[in-house]
Amino acid sequence: MSVQIKLIAGSILLTGMIGLAGCSSNNEAGNSESQATAPTETAVTATSEPEVSPASTPAATAPETAPETAPAATSSPTETDKDSTSSNSQNSDKQLKELLELAKKGKVPGVKYAAHTGLIDEVEADWGKPDQQESAGKGIYATYTDKHVVFGFNKGSLIFDVRSSDSALQKLTLKQIEATLGKPDDTKVNGEDKIYTYQANDQYQLKFIIPSSTGTVDHISVFSEQDSFNNMAG
């Protein structure tokens, strides 16, 4: 009888231990399942962020604003060009009026010796012998290269022609000359040169010599025609 009781008690004890082992196993399985599913949810959440980034790209608005400011840059050079043209016109106008006033006295800018009153002997005493001297036209011409000046004189040593090829004169055009002095009183052609003559007064002529190859003044001449006929030339 006692042996049967012990066997029954042992069976109950074994059954209880098996039951406890089963519960423990189920709990561990449940925990494993919950731990396995958690990273999956986190991963899904992480991948949702990049979907909104392209919509916020700033480059989409840049091309719309750039063309609005570009045309403004073209206005300044145009105004500068106008100012420069106006300034050049004013300078040439003043220069030409001064040339005409000097021509009325037989002179060119920067030279104190005048046609009709000056003598080549006075020039040589002051400037020395000319770099070149030769007969041409109605007289003899003495060239002073460094001074950019040529004197025409007769056999009586009287100066009748003063020429200047100063660089400041070589910027002048016929258009500028006519805008200030009007149409020339006479126009002649000498080879490729055109000679535009203005009667400064009864005594003197102001001449502009313009080669066709440049279109700008090569030199000017203040000329006393009556002195080019030398009574002592016989």
Side-chain angles (χ1 to χ4, degrees):
M1 181 74 180
S2 60
V3 174
Q4 292 180 347
I5 294 172
K6 289 181 180 181
L7 289 173
I8 294 171
S11 297
I12 294 171
L13 180 62
L14 180 61
T15 302
M17 291 177 65
I18 292 172
L20 289 173
C23 290
S24 176
S25 177
N26 290 337
N27 288 337
E28 290 177 0
N31 290 336
S32 297
E33 289 178 0
S34 61
Q35 290 176 358
T37 56
T40 304
E41 294 176 355
T42 303
V44 172
T45 304
T47 57
S48 63
E49 293 180 0
E51 296 177 1
V52 298
S53 57
S56 60
T57 304
T61 58
E64 297 178 359
T65 58
E68 296 179 0
T69 58
T74 60
S75 61
S76 296
T78 303
E79 293 173 0
T80 301
D81 291 343
K82 289 181 180 179
D83 292 342
S84 178
T85 302
S86 176
S87 177
N88 290 338
S89 177
Q90 291 175 359
N91 290 340
S92 65
D93 183 68
K94 180 181 178 181
Q95 182 183 17
L96 286 161
K97 288 178 179 178
E98 289 176 351
L99 289 177
L100 184 60
E101 289 304 310
L102 284 171
K104 292 176 181 179
K105 301 174 184 178
K107 295 183 177 182
V108 298
V111 180
K112 64 181 180 180
Y113 304 104
H116 182 61
T117 60
L119 298 173
I120 193 62
D121 298 337
E122 296 172 336
V123 177
E124 289 185 2
D126 188 9
W127 290 4
K129 292 292 183 179
D131 300 302
Q132 183 177 346
Q133 185 169 299
E134 59 185 349
S135 297
K138 299 176 180 179
I140 304 168
Y141 281 81
T143 301
Y144 289 86
T145 306
D146 291 342
K147 303 284 187 179
H148 305 287
V149 175
V150 176
F151 295 100
F153 59 95
N154 58 31
K155 290 187 178 180
S157 295
L158 183 67
I159 296 171
F160 64 83
D161 191 0
V162 184
R163 301 179 180 182
S164 174
S165 57
D166 187 87
S167 59
L169 302 170
Q170 295 179 334
K171 299 176 183 178
L172 294 169
T173 65
L174 178 61
K175 182 178 180 180
Q176 292 172 324
I177 294 168
E178 291 185 341
T180 300
L181 303 181
K183 295 291 183 181
D185 298 303
D186 184 55
T187 301
K188 292 181 179 179
V189 178
N190 181 22
E192 72 157 5
D193 296 337
K194 287 188 176 181
I195 304 171
Y196 302 93
T197 301
Y198 292 83
Q199 196 70 42
N201 55 25
D202 292 340
Q203 184 69 51
Y204 301 108
Q205 296 173 344
L206 172 60
K207 300 182 180 184
F208 297 90
I209 293 78
I210 302 179
S212 58
S213 59
T214 64
T216 58
V217 170
D218 178 76
H219 65 276
I220 65 169
S221 166
V222 175
F223 186 73
S224 173
E225 187 173 16
Q226 71 179 52
D227 295 315
S228 64
F229 300 103
N230 183 11
N231 294 329
M232 299 175 63

